[in-house]
Amino acid sequence: MFNESYNGFKQYLRRGRTHCNSGYGDHPLYVNVDMHSGNTYTYWIDALQASFPAVQVLFGDIEEAICTHAWHYNVWKRYGLLPERFNWQRLSPDVAFYPLRPELVESTYLLYQATKNPFYLHVGREIIQNINAYTKTKCGYATVHDVIDMSLEDRMESFFLSETCKYLYLLFDLDNPLNKQFSKYIFTTEGHLLPIGSKLRTKPWTDEEFSSKPSCASSFGKESLSGDSVNIPYVAKEAPIFKPNITQPSCDAIDEARHYLLPLRTPYYLQLTESLGLKELENMLSENGNLEELF
Protein backbone atom coordinates (compact mmCIF):
# COMPACT_ATOMS: atom_id res chain seq x y z
CA MET A 1 0.00 0.00 0.00
CA PHE A 2 2.80 2.41 0.86
CA ASN A 3 4.67 1.64 -2.37
CA GLU A 4 1.54 2.40 -4.38
CA SER A 5 0.95 5.64 -2.46
CA TYR A 6 4.57 6.75 -2.82
CA ASN A 7 4.51 6.12 -6.57
CA GLY A 8 1.36 8.24 -6.70
CA PHE A 9 3.11 11.06 -4.83
CA LYS A 10 5.92 11.08 -7.35
CA GLN A 11 3.61 10.86 -10.33
CA TYR A 12 1.09 13.54 -9.36
CA LEU A 13 2.59 15.75 -6.62
CA ARG A 14 6.20 16.06 -7.71
CA ARG A 15 7.37 18.97 -9.83
CA GLY A 16 10.85 19.84 -11.13
CA ARG A 17 13.72 17.91 -12.68
CA THR A 18 13.67 14.13 -12.73
CA HIS A 19 16.69 13.53 -10.48
CA CYS A 20 17.84 15.41 -7.40
CA ASN A 21 21.57 15.62 -8.11
CA SER A 22 21.69 15.42 -11.89
CA GLY A 23 19.94 16.72 -14.99
CA TYR A 24 18.26 20.01 -15.79
CA GLY A 25 15.18 21.81 -14.55
CA ASP A 26 13.77 23.40 -11.42
CA HIS A 27 14.45 22.06 -7.96
CA PRO A 28 12.13 19.11 -7.16
CA LEU A 29 9.10 20.09 -5.11
CA TYR A 30 6.02 18.24 -3.85
CA VAL A 31 2.91 20.39 -4.20
CA ASN A 32 -0.76 20.14 -3.20
CA VAL A 33 -2.90 18.81 -6.04
CA ASP A 34 -6.54 18.15 -6.84
CA MET A 35 -7.19 14.49 -5.98
CA HIS A 36 -9.39 14.02 -9.06
CA SER A 37 -7.26 15.64 -11.76
CA GLY A 38 -3.73 15.81 -10.33
CA ASN A 39 -3.54 19.49 -11.22
CA THR A 40 -1.87 21.91 -8.82
CA TYR A 41 -4.51 22.93 -6.27
CA THR A 42 -2.71 25.42 -4.03
CA TYR A 43 0.61 27.26 -4.11
CA TRP A 44 1.59 26.79 -0.50
CA ILE A 45 3.49 24.15 1.43
CA ASP A 46 3.10 23.89 5.18
CA ALA A 47 5.64 23.16 7.90
CA LEU A 48 4.27 19.67 8.53
CA GLN A 49 5.51 18.63 5.10
CA ALA A 50 9.07 19.08 6.37
CA SER A 51 8.69 15.59 7.86
CA PHE A 52 8.40 14.02 4.40
CA PRO A 53 12.20 13.73 3.96
CA ALA A 54 12.20 11.54 7.09
CA VAL A 55 9.62 9.27 5.47
CA GLN A 56 11.75 9.14 2.33
CA VAL A 57 14.80 8.18 4.39
CA LEU A 58 12.93 5.31 6.04
CA PHE A 59 11.74 4.17 2.62
CA GLY A 60 15.32 4.29 1.32
CA ASP A 61 14.92 7.11 -1.21
CA ILE A 62 17.92 9.00 0.17
CA GLU A 63 18.73 11.24 -2.80
CA GLU A 64 15.13 12.39 -2.98
CA ALA A 65 15.11 13.02 0.78
CA ILE A 66 18.22 15.20 0.37
CA CYS A 67 16.40 17.36 -2.19
CA THR A 68 13.17 17.66 -0.21
CA HIS A 69 15.01 18.53 3.00
CA ALA A 70 17.15 21.14 1.23
CA TRP A 71 14.04 23.03 0.11
CA HIS A 72 12.51 23.22 3.60
CA TYR A 73 15.86 24.08 5.18
CA ASN A 74 16.37 27.00 2.83
CA VAL A 75 12.90 28.34 3.58
CA TRP A 76 14.06 28.22 7.22
CA LYS A 77 17.21 30.15 6.30
CA ARG A 78 15.16 32.79 4.49
CA TYR A 79 13.34 33.75 7.71
CA GLY A 80 15.47 32.27 10.49
CA LEU A 81 12.56 29.99 11.40
CA LEU A 82 10.08 27.96 9.37
CA PRO A 83 6.73 29.70 8.74
CA GLU A 84 3.66 27.52 9.16
CA ARG A 85 2.67 27.93 5.52
CA PHE A 86 4.92 29.23 2.73
CA ASN A 87 3.66 30.29 -0.70
CA TRP A 88 6.25 29.00 -3.17
CA GLN A 89 4.87 31.08 -6.01
CA ARG A 90 4.83 34.46 -4.25
CA LEU A 91 7.84 33.55 -2.06
CA SER A 92 6.14 34.76 1.10
CA PRO A 93 4.38 33.22 4.11
CA ASP A 94 0.64 32.64 3.85
CA VAL A 95 0.62 31.77 7.57
CA ALA A 96 3.57 33.32 9.35
CA PHE A 97 3.63 31.80 12.86
CA TYR A 98 6.18 29.21 14.04
CA PRO A 99 4.98 26.98 16.91
CA LEU A 100 8.36 25.29 17.56
CA ARG A 101 7.52 22.36 15.28
CA PRO A 102 9.81 19.29 15.15
CA GLU A 103 9.35 18.14 11.54
CA LEU A 104 12.44 19.76 10.00
CA VAL A 105 14.59 18.61 12.94
CA GLU A 106 13.24 15.06 12.61
CA SER A 107 14.23 14.94 8.93
CA THR A 108 17.63 16.44 9.71
CA TYR A 109 18.27 13.79 12.36
CA LEU A 110 17.27 10.88 10.12
CA LEU A 111 19.28 12.20 7.18
CA TYR A 112 22.35 12.44 9.39
CA GLN A 113 21.82 8.86 10.54
CA ALA A 114 21.51 7.75 6.92
CA THR A 115 24.43 9.70 5.43
CA LYS A 116 26.70 10.69 8.37
CA ASN A 117 27.28 13.92 6.48
CA PRO A 118 28.33 16.69 8.93
CA PHE A 119 26.30 19.14 6.86
CA TYR A 120 23.26 18.02 8.87
CA LEU A 121 25.09 18.77 12.12
CA HIS A 122 25.56 22.30 10.80
CA VAL A 123 21.84 22.47 10.05
CA GLY A 124 21.04 21.29 13.58
CA ARG A 125 23.39 23.83 15.11
CA GLU A 126 21.76 26.64 13.13
CA ILE A 127 18.31 25.50 14.22
CA ILE A 128 19.39 25.51 17.89
CA GLN A 129 20.99 28.92 17.58
CA ASN A 130 17.90 30.44 15.99
CA ILE A 131 15.49 28.84 18.45
CA ASN A 132 17.55 30.28 21.31
CA ALA A 133 17.85 33.66 19.62
CA TYR A 134 14.21 34.14 18.67
CA THR A 135 12.01 32.00 20.94
CA LYS A 136 13.70 31.71 24.34
CA THR A 137 11.99 33.48 27.23
CA LYS A 138 12.49 33.63 31.01
CA CYS A 139 10.24 30.63 31.60
CA GLY A 140 10.59 28.51 28.46
CA TYR A 141 10.37 28.79 24.69
CA ALA A 142 7.50 30.61 23.03
CA THR A 143 5.60 30.20 19.78
CA VAL A 144 6.63 32.87 17.29
CA HIS A 145 3.53 34.76 16.18
CA ASP A 146 5.15 36.13 13.02
CA VAL A 147 8.51 35.12 11.53
CA ILE A 148 8.77 38.53 9.87
CA ASP A 149 8.93 40.59 13.06
CA MET A 150 9.64 37.67 15.49
CA SER A 151 6.82 38.69 17.83
CA LEU A 152 5.98 36.00 20.39
CA GLU A 153 2.84 34.36 21.76
CA ASP A 154 2.28 33.34 25.37
CA ARG A 155 2.36 29.56 24.77
CA MET A 156 4.74 26.69 24.25
CA GLU A 157 3.41 23.58 22.50
CA SER A 158 4.01 20.23 24.21
CA PHE A 159 5.65 18.76 21.11
CA PHE A 160 8.57 21.16 21.53
CA LEU A 161 9.89 19.17 24.50
CA SER A 162 8.66 15.73 23.43
CA GLU A 163 9.84 15.91 19.81
CA THR A 164 11.82 19.00 18.77
CA CYS A 165 14.24 18.85 21.71
CA LYS A 166 14.42 15.06 21.58
CA TYR A 167 15.54 14.97 17.94
CA LEU A 168 18.03 17.80 18.46
CA TYR A 169 19.52 16.00 21.47
CA LEU A 170 19.85 12.73 19.57
CA LEU A 171 21.33 14.49 16.54
CA PHE A 172 24.35 15.58 18.59
CA ASP A 173 24.60 12.73 21.09
CA LEU A 174 26.56 10.51 18.72
CA ASP A 175 27.27 7.86 21.38
CA ASN A 176 23.68 7.57 22.52
CA PRO A 177 22.69 3.88 22.84
CA LEU A 178 19.81 4.52 20.47
CA ASN A 179 22.14 5.85 17.80
CA LYS A 180 24.46 2.90 18.33
CA GLN A 181 21.58 0.52 17.57
CA PHE A 182 19.54 2.74 15.29
CA SER A 183 18.33 -0.09 13.03
CA LYS A 184 16.57 -1.77 15.96
CA TYR A 185 14.13 1.07 16.64
CA ILE A 186 11.70 3.32 14.86
CA PHE A 187 9.94 6.54 15.87
CA THR A 188 6.22 7.04 15.55
CA THR A 189 4.93 10.24 13.98
CA GLU A 190 4.70 11.71 17.50
CA GLY A 191 8.28 10.83 18.43
CA HIS A 192 7.54 7.71 20.49
CA LEU A 193 10.20 5.04 20.27
CA LEU A 194 9.23 1.50 19.23
CA PRO A 195 11.49 -1.57 18.99
CA ILE A 196 11.47 -3.48 15.71
CA GLY A 197 13.14 -6.69 16.82
CA SER A 198 12.56 -10.13 15.38
CA LYS A 199 9.70 -10.81 17.81
CA LEU A 200 7.64 -8.14 16.11
CA ARG A 201 8.44 -9.46 12.64
CA THR A 202 7.00 -12.94 13.15
CA LYS A 203 3.49 -14.05 14.07
CA PRO A 204 3.11 -15.33 17.65
CA TRP A 205 0.43 -17.88 16.69
CA THR A 206 0.39 -21.12 14.72
CA ASP A 207 -1.94 -21.96 11.88
CA GLU A 208 -3.18 -24.99 13.81
CA GLU A 209 -4.56 -22.75 16.55
CA PHE A 210 -6.96 -21.16 14.11
CA SER A 211 -7.75 -24.10 11.86
CA SER A 212 -8.85 -26.21 14.85
CA LYS A 213 -11.39 -23.67 16.06
CA PRO A 214 -14.91 -23.50 14.63
CA SER A 215 -15.60 -20.68 12.24
CA CYS A 216 -17.85 -17.78 13.16
CA ALA A 217 -20.45 -19.08 10.70
CA SER A 218 -20.76 -22.36 12.56
CA SER A 219 -20.86 -20.65 15.96
CA PHE A 220 -24.02 -18.73 15.14
CA GLY A 221 -27.27 -20.33 14.02
CA LYS A 222 -28.30 -19.99 10.43
CA GLU A 223 -31.74 -18.90 11.49
CA SER A 224 -32.86 -16.09 13.73
CA LEU A 225 -35.07 -16.59 16.78
CA SER A 226 -38.05 -15.74 14.63
CA GLY A 227 -37.21 -18.57 12.24
CA ASP A 228 -36.26 -16.25 9.38
CA SER A 229 -33.11 -17.07 7.50
CA VAL A 230 -30.17 -14.77 8.15
CA ASN A 231 -27.49 -13.95 5.60
CA ILE A 232 -24.16 -14.45 7.36
CA PRO A 233 -21.16 -12.88 5.65
CA TYR A 234 -18.41 -15.22 4.58
CA VAL A 235 -15.78 -15.73 7.27
CA ALA A 236 -12.52 -17.49 6.50
CA LYS A 237 -12.05 -20.68 8.49
CA GLU A 238 -8.31 -20.13 8.74
CA ALA A 239 -6.34 -17.05 9.60
CA PRO A 240 -4.51 -15.52 6.64
CA ILE A 241 -0.83 -16.34 6.46
CA PHE A 242 1.40 -13.28 6.69
CA LYS A 243 5.00 -13.33 5.62
CA PRO A 244 7.49 -11.83 8.09
CA ASN A 245 8.30 -8.21 7.35
CA ILE A 246 11.98 -8.55 6.45
CA THR A 247 13.14 -5.09 5.48
CA GLN A 248 15.52 -4.93 2.53
CA PRO A 249 17.51 -1.83 1.56
CA SER A 250 15.95 -0.20 -1.47
CA CYS A 251 18.63 2.37 -2.18
CA ASP A 252 22.27 2.61 -3.02
CA ALA A 253 24.47 3.76 -0.16
CA ILE A 254 25.72 7.32 -0.34
CA ASP A 255 29.21 7.31 -1.82
CA GLU A 256 31.76 7.65 0.99
CA ALA A 257 33.51 10.40 -0.96
CA ARG A 258 30.38 12.54 -0.59
CA HIS A 259 30.24 12.34 3.20
CA TYR A 260 32.12 15.62 3.56
CA LEU A 261 30.65 17.47 0.58
CA LEU A 262 27.31 19.21 0.25
CA PRO A 263 24.57 16.53 0.02
CA LEU A 264 23.00 18.62 -2.75
CA ARG A 265 25.69 19.43 -5.31
CA THR A 266 26.85 23.03 -5.49
CA PRO A 267 25.16 24.11 -8.79
CA TYR A 268 21.82 22.77 -7.61
CA TYR A 269 22.22 24.29 -4.14
CA LEU A 270 22.93 27.68 -5.66
CA GLN A 271 19.94 27.27 -7.96
CA LEU A 272 17.73 26.52 -4.97
CA THR A 273 18.97 29.43 -2.86
CA GLU A 274 18.52 31.84 -5.75
CA SER A 275 14.99 30.57 -6.44
CA LEU A 276 14.08 31.23 -2.79
CA GLY A 277 15.68 34.67 -2.77
CA LEU A 278 18.78 33.75 -0.80
CA LYS A 279 22.05 35.35 -1.87
CA GLU A 280 24.10 34.43 1.21
CA LEU A 281 25.55 31.20 -0.17
CA GLU A 282 26.39 32.81 -3.49
CA ASN A 283 28.35 35.51 -1.66
CA MET A 284 30.13 32.85 0.41
CA LEU A 285 31.03 30.99 -2.76
CA SER A 286 32.53 34.08 -4.38
CA GLU A 287 34.57 34.79 -1.23
CA ASN A 288 35.79 31.22 -0.59
CA GLY A 289 36.04 29.84 -4.11
CA ASN A 290 34.29 26.52 -3.41
CA LEU A 291 31.11 26.22 -1.39
CA GLU A 292 31.70 22.55 -0.64
CA GLU A 293 34.86 23.41 1.27
CA LEU A 294 32.77 25.34 3.83
CA PHE A 295 31.25 22.16 5.29
Side-chain angles (χ1 to χ4, degrees):
M1 184 173 68
F2 178 83
N3 290 343
E4 185 177 351
S5 299
Y6 191 70
N7 290 335
F9 294 156
K10 282 200 165 182
Q11 181 177 355
Y12 297 109
L13 278 67
R14 193 181 187 278
R15 304 289 187 266
R17 62 178 177 272
T18 303
H19 301 289
C20 173
N21 263 316
S22 62
Y24 300 92
D26 294 333
H27 187 86
L29 181 66
Y30 290 84
V31 304
N32 299 319
V33 301
D34 185 287
M35 65 177 295
H36 300 292
S37 66
N39 295 328
T40 302
Y41 191 70
T42 65
Y43 295 102
W44 52 261
I45 289 179
D46 66 29
L48 294 174
Q49 289 171 259
S51 66
F52 192 50
V55 176
Q56 293 177 309
V57 168
L58 295 175
F59 182 59
D61 201 354
I62 305 298
E63 290 286 356
E64 194 75 0
I66 287 171
C67 250
T68 311
H69 176 275
W71 191 90
H72 289 283
Y73 167 57
N74 277 279
V75 174
W76 172 287
K77 287 184 68 68
R78 179 182 173 94
Y79 297 101
L81 299 170
L82 192 62
E84 183 71 3
R85 184 176 292 178
F86 179 76
N87 190 304
W88 50 266
Q89 187 180 60
R90 297 202 308 262
L91 296 182
S92 63
D94 280 354
V95 180
F97 72 87
Y98 169 69
L100 305 166
R101 289 201 184 279
E103 283 75 16
L104 181 60
V105 183
E106 176 186 7
S107 293
T108 303
Y109 167 64
L110 287 177
L111 269 167
Y112 179 72
Q113 291 299 316
T115 66
K116 299 303 180 183
N117 191 315
F119 169 80
Y120 295 108
L121 297 179
H122 284 265
V123 173
R125 181 180 65 178
E126 183 176 348
I127 289 174
I128 290 175
Q129 289 173 338
N130 288 14
I131 287 176
N132 280 326
Y134 299 124
T135 75
K136 189 174 183 179
T137 67
K138 292 182 179 180
C139 56
Y141 291 81
T143 290
V144 174
H145 180 71
D146 191 326
V147 297
I148 303 300
D149 60 19
M150 294 300 176
S151 54
L152 301 179
E153 298 183 10
D154 186 18
R155 64 188 176 101
M156 182 180 77
E157 301 289 351
S158 60
F159 52 68
F160 174 67
L161 294 178
S162 63
E163 296 181 70
T164 307
C165 291
K166 180 188 297 180
Y167 287 122
L168 284 170
Y169 181 87
L170 289 172
L171 174 63
F172 292 100
D173 188 15
L174 305 183
D175 294 324
N176 189 282
L178 171 62
N179 292 332
K180 292 290 188 179
Q181 306 179 74
F182 187 72
S183 62
K184 295 183 179 181
Y185 299 92
I186 192 169
F187 287 97
T188 69
T189 186
E190 297 300 324
H192 303 301
L193 194 62
L194 297 177
I196 50 175
S198 59
K199 288 184 178 180
L200 299 179
R201 293 173 178 265
T202 55
K203 56 186 181 182
W205 64 85
T206 62
D207 294 336
E208 289 76 13
E209 289 182 86
F210 286 86
S211 60
S212 62
K213 294 180 179 180
S215 67
C216 293
S218 62
S219 299
F220 296 94
K222 294 184 179 180
E223 295 184 355
S224 66
L225 294 176
S226 63
D228 299 329
S229 61
V230 178
N231 292 326
I232 299 176
Y234 170 77
V235 179
K237 292 184 178 181
E238 296 183 3
I241 300 175
F242 297 99
K243 294 182 179 179
N245 178 20
I246 303 175
T247 303
Q248 298 292 336
S250 58
C251 64
D252 295 327
I254 298 297
D255 188 343
E256 187 174 353
R258 291 179 56 197
H259 284 184
Y260 299 98
L261 302 176
L262 277 175
L264 185 62
R265 292 191 170 96
T266 301
Y268 300 119
Y269 214 125
L270 293 177
Q271 176 199 35
L272 173 60
T273 59
E274 183 176 2
S275 69
L276 290 173
L278 292 167
K279 294 294 184 180
E280 176 186 355
L281 289 180
E282 290 188 51
N283 295 334
M284 293 168 67
L285 177 63
S286 61
E287 294 174 3
N288 294 275
N290 189 344
L291 184 63
E292 291 178 342
E293 292 178 358
L294 298 175
F295 298 98

